[in-house]
Amino acid sequence: MKNYNDILSHFSLKGEVAEIKALGNGLINDTLKVTTAGPDSPDYVLQRINNNIFKDVDLLQHNIDVTTSHIRAKLEKAGVADLDRKVLTFVKTDTGKSYYFDGESYWRVSVFIPDSVTHEVVDPQYSYLAGKGFGEFQAMLADVEETLDETIPDFHNMEFRLKQFNDAIADDKAGRVAEMKELIDALLERGEKMCAAEQLHREGKLPKRICHCDTKVNNMLFDAHDNSFLCVIDLDTVMPSYIFSDYGDFLRTAANTAPEDEPDLTKIHFRPEIFKAFTQGYLESARSFLTPVEIEYLPYAVALFPYMQCVRFLTDYLNGDVYYKIQYPEHNKVRSIAQFELFRQVESLQAELADTIKSLI
Ligand code: GN1
Ligand code: MG
């Protein structure tokens, strides 16, 4: 067990540490809440950065510094109240760095935003606010001058994800390919169609913009009292991508009636009212910069993310569960089957989704 107090002693914290306990349910980093004694010092969030996945921690923290200071400056200029709850604040170490390396792991600390909540399940009103929030996030980052490189190269590149998938099939490291043949074939059959974004990008028709790239429903903070939108968290994957990333991944998680790892497929349904509300909010704040091609391909984005997540979970299952945290041996298999069920539904709804989007423009 790590000595968290020792790690925390390298950061310039206010107040005495009173309690440290696990926070949230991310699949990659380890996250802890640090409560301090007394009402005058803030609480904190301590995270161990997964260095197997985020190989370049300097680049990672650079992107986060640039993002948070850019947003903070914009909000300040706009005279937004309650600034410390509208953007994350990271705490420097005693040597002025934004992370601490203990010889084995990389750690960082941010200020815990008080009276804030995350949600796993949402209603249309919340989805509308989330859509506006992510659109505003992209809009605010549209004029960042510094270069933000990809913290995970080719993160949402479908061609790359399929290459990893094909490699996993060829290697069959865990001896699981035969068992998954039906799903593998169904995914490969659709491979080319699902790589439309990469194709459009090559043709110069689809730009990359700075996106959040992990817009799972539980990566937004809301006010615990009036439920107003506060800010976007989990900034590790902020990087250039297609806007589809943020639009599609929110709907993958929020418009699903079941969790992403639901074993009972009869519980999985795509919720059109969530789709509509989120799209409305997103278009309100993002329409000013979206191109016609980006808008035209939004229904594709809704299908792309369950598809990509299915490919990624299944790849990890075939590789013997080396990437995502799992809670039981077949977890990645169950996750991939659940994501395919959601994908199949969205795939058959493409025309309806396009009609709804038209009605909102
Ligand atoms: C991971 O860290 P977390 O749980 O927010 C993953 C996302 C996946 C998600 C699936 C860096 O996100 O891309 O969509 O799991 N993050 C990384 O739940 O791979
Ligand atoms: Mg997260």
Side-chain angles (χ1 to χ4, degrees), residues 25-27 214 216 218-219 234:
N25 45 12
L27 302 190
D214 190 9
K216 285 206 292 201
N218 54 14
N219 277 337
D234 205 350

Side-chain angles (χ1 to χ4, degrees), residues 25-29 53-54 152 155-156 213-214 216 219 234 237 249 252 260 309 312-313 323-324:
N25 45 12
L27 302 190
I28 307 293
N29 297 317
I53 291 176
F54 297 103
I152 300 178
F155 188 50
H156 280 168
C213 293
D214 190 9
K216 285 206 292 201
N219 277 337
D234 205 350
T237 51
D249 213 34
R252 176 182 75 80
E260 68 177 358
Q309 200 58 61
R312 292 178 63 196
F313 282 145
Y323 188 92
Y324 295 106

Side-chain angles (χ1 to χ4, degrees), residues 83-129:
L83 206 62
D84 288 338
R85 296 172 77 224
K86 301 286 170 62
V87 61
L88 293 179
T89 307
F90 285 84
V91 180
K92 296 263 190 257
T93 66
D94 40 18
T95 59
K97 291 189 78 151
S98 54
Y99 62 84
Y100 169 69
F101 180 60
D102 67 4
E104 197 181 300
S105 302
Y106 293 84
W107 301 88
R108 69 177 166 218
V109 173
S110 58
V111 177
F112 181 83
I113 297 186
D115 297 318
S116 63
V117 286
T118 56
H119 296 287
E120 299 291 335
V121 177
V122 291
D123 62 12
Q125 172 61 10
Y126 170 102
S127 302
Y128 167 78
L129 295 175

Side-chain angles (χ1 to χ4, degrees), residues 247-248 251 270 275 297-306 346 350 353:
Y247 180 74
L251 289 171
F270 184 75
F275 159 76
Y297 278 81
L298 290 178
Y300 155 79
V302 188
L304 177 62
F305 280 83
V346 177
Q350 289 289 293
L353 302 185

